[in-house]
Amino acid sequence: MQDAPKAILPLDSCRFKRRPCRTHKPYHESEPEHLRKYKPPRRPPPKRSPNNQKDPVGVYLRVRPLSAEDEECCIEVISSTTIQLHTPEGFKVHRNGEYKEMQYSFTKVFGVSGSQMDLFEHVAKPLVDDLIHGKNGLLFTYGVTGSGKTFTMTGSPGQGGLLPRSLDMIFNSVRPYQAKRYVFKTDDKNGMEIQCEVDAVLERQRRENNLSVPKTPSSRQKIDPEISDMLKPEEAYKADSVDEDSSYSVFVSYIEIYNNYIYDLLEDGLEDAIKPKWNGGGTPLRQNTEFIPPQSKTLREDQNHNMYVSGCMEVEVKSAEEAFQVFWKGQKKRKVANTRLNRESSRSHSVFIIKLAQAPLDADGDNILQDKNQVIVSQLCLVDLAGSERTGRTGAEGTRIREAGNINQSLLNLRTCIEILRENQTCGTNRMVPYRDSKVTHLFKNYFDGEGRVRMVVCVNPKADDYEETLLVMRFAEMTQEVEVARPMDRPICGFTPGRRYRNQAFKEELSRKLQDRGGPVDTDGGTTFTSNLGRSLPPLPSSELTDPNDDVTLPRLIEALQNRQRIRQLMTDEYNKAANIMKSKLQELESDLISKQNLINEQNGRLLEKDKSIQNNKAEIERLEKKTKMQERTIDMLQKTTKIYEDDKRSLQQELETRENRLHRELSEKRRMEQRMHGMLSDTQHKWEKECDRRVNAMQLEMQNKLWVKDEKLKQLKAIVAENKTPGCPDPPPHQSQPQRPSREERPPPKKRSASPTPLPTTTPVRALHRRSRSAGGEKWVDHKPASNLDLGTVLQPVIPNAIQVSAPNEKALSKCDKYVLTHQEVASDGEIQTKLIKGDVIKTRGGGQAVQFTDIETVKQQLTMASNRKRKSSEETPVNKDQTDGSWTDVETRCSVALEMKAGSNMAPGHEHHGITKRRKP
C-alpha cells in the first residue's frame, strides 16, 4: 500500500536487518573493543498519520430469514439502527425472575427483507469510491456458523454479494482509462513498477511462451455458468469524479488462513500442498514415514510498514468477469465441510485483496509518466471470517474439532485486540496490542494502526437455538463500534494541467482527419512528391488560344513564359542537386558516426552482459539469503510457539501447585479443627457417661438395699409368726410390738444422691447428667410448649416455669432466644387417671445455623383419688373387712410386704417406717 511518495531508505538500513544470523557471532563480539560501542542504524519506526481526524469502525447488522416459519425468533428489528434481543423460553432468566430484554444499536440494520443491492450501497460502495481515489479499505463479515456470511460476501446467481458488485463498480469506473497489460508490474516487496509499452509487449510474449508461468484467465474465455448471471445490468454502479488524466490497472489475489497457516488459493497444486504428504506419494524421499508439514506463506512488512503476504500470486485483470473468474477458481479450493448446523461450513478465513495501481499521464497526455514515486497503490480487502461454533452443537470429530478450535482461537485473538485498542483509546493507556498472536490480526495490523476505513457486517440467525452465540456476537459488535481508525488522507496532486488525455485525443483525431482530407492518389508518371510540389510552385502559363492566324502576340508570349519556367526550373533543380549533395555528405557523416556508435554499443553490450551475469549471481545470492532468512524465521516462530507452550504449561502447573497447596493448608487446618472438636466432644461424652454410670450404680445399689431390707423384714415377720405358733398359751403381744422397728439415723447407712425421675433407657444420643434438683428451677430461658389439646385438670400443683416463652407449636424464632425446652404431655395411665409428663431438653445450635432439641429428662405428675381400694387377704381364714381397721390388720405378712414393696426409690421414707393409708376425715 502506497498512499503518497515517501523517502526511499538506503539498502543497508532496510534489508537484512531483521534478525542476526545464528551461525555467526554478533557484531559486538566479532569487532575490536574500541568499535563495540558502535551500533548499526535502526530501522525508522512507522510514520504515524499526520491526520488527527478519526472515524469509528462502521458496524452493520444483517438478519438472516428463518428456515421455518414456526421456529421461535429471538431478534426483533425496532428501527433502522436498533434491534431488541429476546430471551427464548427455556433459558436462564434474570435475577429478579423476569426475562431480560436487551437492545443494541448499529450503524444500520438490514432486516430479513433487505436486498443485496441495499447492503452494497450503504456498506461497500463508499469503500470502492475510496479505493478509486487512492485510499485503503477493509470489509469483513462476522457471525456464528450458518448465519449467512458467505452469502453476504459472495451471493448467488441473480443475487450477487458484496464482492462481485465491488468488482463491477471498479471496472465500470476505470474501464476507459485502463493501461495495457503488464505496463504496471508488481515486485516482491509489495510495491509497483512501471514499464514502457515495448517492455510490456515483451513481458506479455514471455509469459505466453513460458509454460512455467501460469497464464491469467482471459475475459474471452468461457465463463463458469455458476457465476455468469450474478448481477443484472440495471444494478450497475459507477464512481463519480474519476481522474481522467491517470491510467489504472487492477490486480487481485486470494488467500485463506487455515489452522493459522496462510495458503495462496490462486497457486497451482494447492490441494497437494495443504494435504498431509508421506513418503511414496510423489514427494522427495526422506526418513521412513516422516510427515511433511504443509508449506504456508509468510507475512512480511514493506518499507512503508504495511503487512503483506510474501510470495502471493497477484493476477492482473481487465474486466469484472475475468476478476470474478479468478475468484471462483480460488473459491473452489477453499476448505469447506459438512456439519450438523451448516451443509457447507467454511473451515478457514478467506481474504480477497483488490489492489488498484494508478499513475498520471505525462504533460502531452499520451504516455504514462515513468516515475515510480508517482504511482499510487490502494487496496480493498474483503474478508469472509469463518463462523464461531461449539463442537457440542456441530457434532465435530477429529479434524473438525481441531479446525473449530483454531477458528475460535483466531476470533478470540481478534476480540482481544479490539478490546485493548478500545481501552488504549478510551482510557489513555498504552498497552501492547497482541497482533502477532494470530495471522488474521497480524495481516490487518496496518488498518487499525495506520490509515483506512474499516467496516464490519455482523450476520446473525434469529432462531432461538443460536441465542447464546448471538448474545456474544452482539457484545463484540457493540465493543467494536467504540474503536476509532485514522481517516485516510487525500492523495497529492501532480503539477500537470488537467484534461491532458482529452486534448491529446482531440489532436490525434484532427490530425488524422486533415491527413485524410489532403491525401491524394500516387503520381502515374513516376514523379516524386518534390517534383509535383515544384510544378505547383512555377508561374502559371498564359492563355494559348489562337483565334486569328495572323496573331503574333500569343505564341511569343507563350514561348517567353515557357522559357521563364524553364529557367526557374533549372535554378530550382540546381538548388535541389546542391541540397542533395549536402544531404549525401551529411548522410555519409551520419553513417560513419552510426558505425562508430554501433561499435560502441556492441562494446557496451558486452559490458552489460558481464553486468547481467554479476546481477544474476547477486540475485541468486539474495534468493539464497532470503530462503535462509525464511528458514530462520520459521525456526524462530516454532521456537517462540514452543516457548509459549512451555510457559503456558509452567503457568498452569504453578497455578495447580498453588491450588493444591492452598487445598492442603485448608485440609490441615480443617483436620486440626476437627481433632480439637472431636477431643472436646470425646471429653464431654466421657464426662457425661461417667456421671450417668455413677447415677445408675447408686440407683442399683439403693434398689438392691431396699430389696434386701424387704427380704429381711419378711424373714423377721416369718420368725415372729413361727414363734407365736410354738407358744399358744401366751397372750398376744400388743400390736405395736409386732411392728418392725425403724433403725435409728446412726444405724442407717447414709443415703446416696439419686435422681427423682425414673432411669431413662440408654439411647444413641448422649444425655446430660441428671441431678436431684429439677432442671426447671434454674434461671435459664425456657420454651414452654403446651399443645392446645391439653386439658385443664384444676389441680393445686401446676408446673410453673419462670422466664419461659409459652407456645402452642415450636418455631425457630422462639428456639433461637432460649437454651431450654419443655413439652407438657398428657396421657391416660393404666388406672384410668390422666397423668402429665414434662419432657425437658436442651436447645443446641446446628452447623447449618438452625436449632435442635436434645431431650435429657422427664418429670411425671399424676393425680389419684383419696379413696383407695381395700386389699384382699388371701390367707386361709376369712376375716370380715371393717371400715375402722386396727393396727392388727397390718400384721398380715402379705399386707406388710405389699406395703414395703410400694416404697419407691428416692422416697423420703426410709426403710422400717410404715405408710398407713388412713383416709382423712371430712368435716361434717
Side-chain angles (χ1 to χ4, degrees):
M1 185 181 64
Q2 200 167 5
D3 289 346
K6 298 184 179 179
I8 300 178
L9 298 176
L11 183 63
D12 57 347
S13 63
C14 64
R15 298 187 60 186
F16 311 119
K17 296 295 183 180
R18 296 177 61 85
R19 294 183 179 90
C21 183
R22 294 180 179 269
T23 58
H24 297 82
K25 292 184 179 180
Y27 178 82
H28 63 276
E29 294 183 4
S30 60
E31 290 295 326
E33 182 68 26
H34 65 281
L35 295 178
R36 288 187 182 181
K37 295 183 181 181
Y38 171 78
K39 294 183 179 179
R42 293 185 178 180
R43 189 175 183 177
K47 295 182 180 180
R48 295 294 180 181
S49 173
N51 188 10
N52 295 326
Q53 297 180 353
K54 293 185 177 182
D55 295 326
V57 176
V59 181
Y60 300 83
L61 179 72
R62 188 176 195 185
V63 183
R64 173 182 175 174
L66 291 172
S67 57
E69 296 181 357
D70 56 348
E71 284 186 343
E72 184 181 1
C73 181
C74 63
I75 294 178
E76 178 186 358
V77 179
I78 298 178
S79 64
S80 60
T81 58
T82 307
I83 67 159
Q84 187 167 356
L85 197 62
H86 301 281
T87 306
E89 297 181 0
F91 284 85
K92 295 181 180 180
V93 297
H94 199 43
R95 292 183 178 179
N96 56 4
E98 299 177 356
Y99 288 102
K100 185 177 181 181
E101 297 180 352
M102 294 163 288
Q103 292 186 359
Y104 296 93
S105 298
F106 299 89
T107 307
K108 189 171 181 59
V109 176
F110 299 91
V112 294
S113 60
S115 63
Q116 297 275 58
M117 187 170 64
D118 294 339
L119 183 67
F120 171 77
E121 185 176 358
H122 289 86
V123 179
K125 184 176 178 295
L127 297 180
V128 177
D129 287 332
D130 290 346
L131 176 70
I132 296 175
H133 291 88
K135 301 175 184 178
N136 299 325
L138 172 64
L139 173 62
F140 61 96
T141 57
Y142 183 86
V144 300
T145 179
S147 59
K149 300 182 298 299
T150 304
F151 174 78
T152 300
M153 184 61 68
T154 307
S156 61
Q159 295 181 352
L162 299 178
L163 191 146
R165 293 178 186 274
S166 300
L167 292 173
D168 184 68
M169 180 177 174
I170 290 171
F171 285 100
N172 289 340
S173 304
V174 303
R175 183 179 290 114
Y177 318 114
Q178 288 192 85
K180 293 182 180 181
R181 198 181 294 270
Y182 304 120
V183 172
F184 289 94
K185 181 181 177 181
T186 59
D187 56 9
D188 297 334
K189 301 176 181 61
N190 200 31
M192 196 69 63
E193 297 177 352
I194 302 177
Q195 299 184 126
C196 62
E197 293 186 2
V198 177
D199 294 337
V201 172
L202 294 177
E203 180 75 14
R204 182 163 58 252
Q205 293 177 357
R206 184 183 66 81
R207 288 178 177 265
E208 290 176 356
N209 296 329
N210 192 1
L211 298 178
S212 61
V213 179
K215 295 182 180 181
T216 58
S218 175
S219 60
R220 293 189 296 270
Q221 293 180 356
K222 186 177 179 180
I223 301 176
D224 196 327
E226 296 183 8
I227 61 174
S228 58
D229 55 350
M230 274 286 182
L231 301 178
K232 299 177 182 179
E234 60 271 12
E235 296 179 354
Y237 283 91
K238 184 177 179 181
D240 299 331
S241 63
V242 181
D243 188 5
E244 301 170 352
D245 296 325
S246 297
S247 292
Y248 301 87
S249 187
V250 181
F251 297 83
V252 295
S253 57
Y254 196 19
I255 63 173
E256 74 168 351
I257 302 175
Y258 175 71
N259 288 339
N260 208 25
Y261 289 97
I262 301 177
Y263 300 100
D264 189 359
L265 294 176
L266 302 182
E267 198 173 39
D268 292 338
L270 181 62
E271 293 111 324
D272 297 334
I274 294 181
K275 291 180 181 178
K277 294 181 180 180
W278 300 84
N279 286 339
T283 60
L285 191 61
R286 290 188 174 185
Q287 297 179 2
N288 190 18
T289 64
E290 183 180 357
F291 176 70
I292 301 176
Q295 298 296 325
S296 66
K297 303 296 181 181
T298 58
L299 289 177
R300 295 186 182 275
E301 190 176 7
D302 61 5
Q303 62 180 0
N304 297 321
H305 302 280
N306 298 322
M307 304 306 300
Y308 69 98
V309 180
S310 178
C312 178
M313 176 178 284
E314 295 180 350
V315 181
E316 185 178 5
V317 290
K318 294 300 178 182
S319 65
E321 293 79 10
E322 182 183 354
F324 200 70
Q325 186 80 10
V326 173
F327 165 77
W328 199 250
K329 173 188 173 182
Q331 185 72 5
K332 292 180 179 179
K333 298 180 182 180
R334 189 182 176 188
K335 289 292 182 180
V336 295
N338 184 11
T339 63
R340 191 183 301 171
L341 299 180
N342 192 356
R343 185 166 54 89
E344 293 183 357
S345 176
S346 301
R347 313 309 296 167
S348 63
H349 309 298
S350 67
V351 182
F352 188 77
I353 303 174
I354 305 173
K355 187 177 290 186
L356 180 64
Q358 51 184 314
L361 299 176
D362 55 8
D364 296 333
D366 191 13
N367 298 319
I368 300 176
L369 188 64
Q370 299 292 317
D371 187 1
K372 185 178 179 180
N373 295 328
Q374 294 295 330
V375 179
I376 297 176
V377 181
S378 58
Q379 66 180 12
L380 173 62
C381 295
L382 303 176
V383 186
D384 183 12
L385 295 176
S388 59
E389 59 184 35
R390 295 185 179 180
T391 56
R393 294 188 59 201
T394 57
E397 296 178 354
T399 307
R400 300 292 169 261
I401 294 180
R402 182 189 175 197
E403 293 171 351
N406 288 319
I407 290 171
N408 294 336
Q409 182 64 33
S410 61
L411 295 178
L412 180 61
N413 291 334
L414 176 61
R415 181 185 181 92
T416 303
C417 293
I418 295 295
E419 286 180 353
I420 296 178
L421 276 173
R422 184 190 63 170
E423 181 181 350
N424 290 341
Q425 293 177 1
T426 57
C427 303
T429 58
N430 194 17
R431 293 180 56 190
M432 186 187 70
V433 184
Y435 291 115
R436 293 179 177 267
D437 292 349
S438 174
K439 291 292 193 301
V440 176
T441 54
H442 195 194
L443 179 60
F444 303 119
K445 168 181 174 294
N446 52 289
Y447 285 96
F448 293 100
D449 286 348
E451 294 181 357
R453 186 176 297 186
V454 181
R455 293 195 173 184
M456 179 177 70
V457 179
V458 179
C459 300
V460 294
N461 196 337
K463 64 180 182 179
D465 296 338
D466 293 345
Y467 171 74
E468 295 182 352
E469 290 87 349
T470 303
L471 186 60
L472 297 176
V473 170
M474 293 296 176
R475 292 174 180 172
F476 174 70
E478 187 178 24
M479 176 184 60
T480 306
Q481 293 182 96
E482 300 179 4
V483 177
E484 294 182 348
V485 181
R487 183 180 301 175
M489 298 179 61
D490 295 332
R491 62 177 183 173
I493 301 175
C494 62
F496 297 115
T497 306
R500 302 183 299 278
R501 182 189 293 271
Y502 279 130
R503 286 201 303 271
N504 185 34
Q505 291 179 357
F507 173 74
K508 288 182 178 180
E509 291 175 358
E510 183 67 20
L511 182 61
S512 62
R513 186 181 63 81
K514 288 184 178 181
L515 290 177
Q516 185 177 2
D517 294 340
R518 293 183 179 181
V522 182
D523 190 3
T524 57
D525 296 337
T528 61
T529 307
F530 176 76
T531 57
S532 61
N533 293 331
L534 183 60
R536 295 192 191 97
S537 62
L538 293 174
L541 294 175
S543 177
S544 59
E545 183 179 1
L546 294 174
T547 57
D548 188 5
N550 298 319
D551 188 2
D552 296 333
V553 177
T554 302
L555 290 176
R557 186 173 53 189
L558 179 61
I559 292 171
E560 184 181 1
L562 290 175
Q563 290 177 353
N564 190 16
R565 287 171 62 92
Q566 180 65 26
R567 188 176 61 256
I568 295 174
R569 184 169 183 173
Q570 187 64 33
L571 291 175
M572 294 180 67
T573 304
D574 294 339
E575 291 179 359
Y576 171 74
N577 292 329
K578 185 178 179 181
N581 294 329
I582 295 173
M583 181 62 66
K584 284 180 182 181
S585 61
K586 288 184 178 180
L587 287 176
Q588 290 175 357
E589 293 177 0
L590 290 175
E591 186 176 1
S592 61
D593 293 340
L594 181 61
I595 293 172
S596 61
K597 289 182 178 179
Q598 188 68 31
N599 295 332
L600 181 61
I601 289 173
N602 294 332
E603 184 181 355
Q604 295 295 331
N605 287 334
R607 295 180 181 178
L608 286 175
L609 289 176
E610 295 178 358
K611 295 292 184 180
D612 289 338
K613 290 181 181 180
S614 62
I615 288 173
Q616 293 297 330
N617 295 332
N618 292 333
K619 286 184 177 180
E621 183 68 17
I622 290 172
E623 290 179 357
R624 186 184 65 80
L625 293 175
E626 286 182 351
K627 289 181 180 179
K628 189 174 181 181
T629 305
K630 290 180 181 178
M631 293 178 62
Q632 295 294 338
E633 288 180 353
R634 190 175 298 129
T635 305
I636 291 173
D637 292 339
M638 294 176 62
L639 291 175
Q640 288 178 352
K641 290 181 180 179
T642 306
T643 305
K644 185 178 180 181
I645 292 173
Y646 286 160
E647 289 179 353
D648 294 341
D649 294 341
K650 179 182 177 182
R651 195 180 299 109
S652 61
L653 290 175
Q654 287 179 352
Q655 293 178 357
E656 185 178 358
L657 181 61
E658 292 177 357
T659 304
R660 291 189 177 183
E661 288 180 353
N662 295 333
R663 189 186 305 166
L664 182 60
H665 289 318
R666 289 197 300 270
E667 289 179 355
L668 290 175
S669 61
E670 186 67 24
K671 182 179 178 182
R672 288 194 294 269
R673 287 197 298 270
M674 187 63 71
E675 288 179 355
Q676 294 176 1
R677 189 183 304 168
M678 293 303 295
H679 283 310
M681 292 178 63
L682 183 62
S683 60
D684 293 343
T685 306
Q686 184 178 1
H687 183 65
K688 289 178 182 178
W689 278 108
E690 286 178 357
K691 289 184 178 180
E692 182 65 21
C693 289
D694 294 341
R695 189 188 65 78
R696 291 186 182 183
V697 168
N698 295 335
M700 291 295 292
Q701 288 179 358
L702 184 59
E703 185 177 0
M704 295 301 295
Q705 287 178 3
N706 290 336
K707 288 181 180 180
L708 184 62
W709 177 78
V710 170
K711 288 182 181 180
D712 292 340
E713 290 299 323
K714 285 183 180 181
L715 184 60
K716 289 179 182 180
Q717 292 176 5
L718 185 59
K719 287 181 180 181
I721 292 171
V722 171
E724 288 177 358
N725 291 333
K726 287 182 179 181
T727 57
C730 297
D732 296 333
H736 63 275
Q737 292 180 0
S738 60
Q739 295 178 358
Q741 295 295 326
R742 181 178 180 182
S744 62
R745 292 186 177 181
E746 291 78 4
E747 297 175 358
R748 285 183 297 168
K752 295 185 179 181
K753 293 183 181 181
R754 45 192 176 170
S755 174
S757 60
T759 304
L761 295 175
T763 58
T764 58
T765 58
V767 297
R768 296 181 181 275
L770 300 178
H771 303 279
R772 182 176 182 84
R773 190 168 179 264
S774 174
R775 288 288 187 128
S776 61
E780 297 89 351
K781 192 74 173 180
W782 289 77
V783 176
D784 190 1
H785 179 196
K786 292 183 178 180
S789 59
N790 288 357
L791 300 176
D792 186 10
L793 301 179
T795 58
V796 176
L797 298 177
Q798 293 287 342
V800 178
I801 302 174
N803 298 329
I805 300 176
Q806 295 184 0
V807 294
S808 60
N811 54 68
E812 184 180 358
K813 183 177 180 180
L815 292 174
S816 62
K817 296 180 179 180
C818 303
D819 51 358
K820 299 292 182 179
Y821 173 84
V822 60
L823 170 64
T824 305
H825 174 65
Q826 291 183 350
E827 62 181 7
V828 180
S830 59
D831 55 357
E833 297 296 334
I834 297 176
Q835 67 178 2
T836 303
K837 289 185 178 181
L838 302 179
I839 304 173
K840 298 177 289 183
D842 295 337
V843 179
I844 60 177
K845 292 184 179 181
T846 62
R847 183 176 294 179
Q851 290 79 24
V853 177
Q854 182 179 6
F855 293 102
T856 59
D857 195 4
I858 300 176
E859 293 185 6
T860 305
V861 181
K862 185 176 180 183
Q863 183 181 8
Q864 295 182 351
L865 296 176
T866 55
M867 299 298 295
S869 60
N870 295 328
R871 307 180 189 272
K872 295 182 180 180
R873 186 173 181 178
K874 294 184 179 181
S875 62
S876 60
E877 299 178 0
E878 293 182 359
T879 306
V881 180
N882 299 326
K883 293 183 179 179
D884 297 333
Q885 244 180 351
T886 60
D887 295 338
S889 62
W890 292 90
T891 59
D892 180 54
V893 177
E894 184 177 358
T895 303
R896 284 180 293 177
C897 289
S898 64
V899 171
L901 286 174
E902 287 180 355
M903 299 293 292
K904 294 184 178 180
S907 176
N908 293 329
M909 294 184 296
H913 286 78
E914 295 181 350
H915 181 273
H916 301 281
I918 303 174
T919 59
K920 231 178 188 182
R921 292 186 179 181
R922 297 183 180 180
K923 293 183 181 181

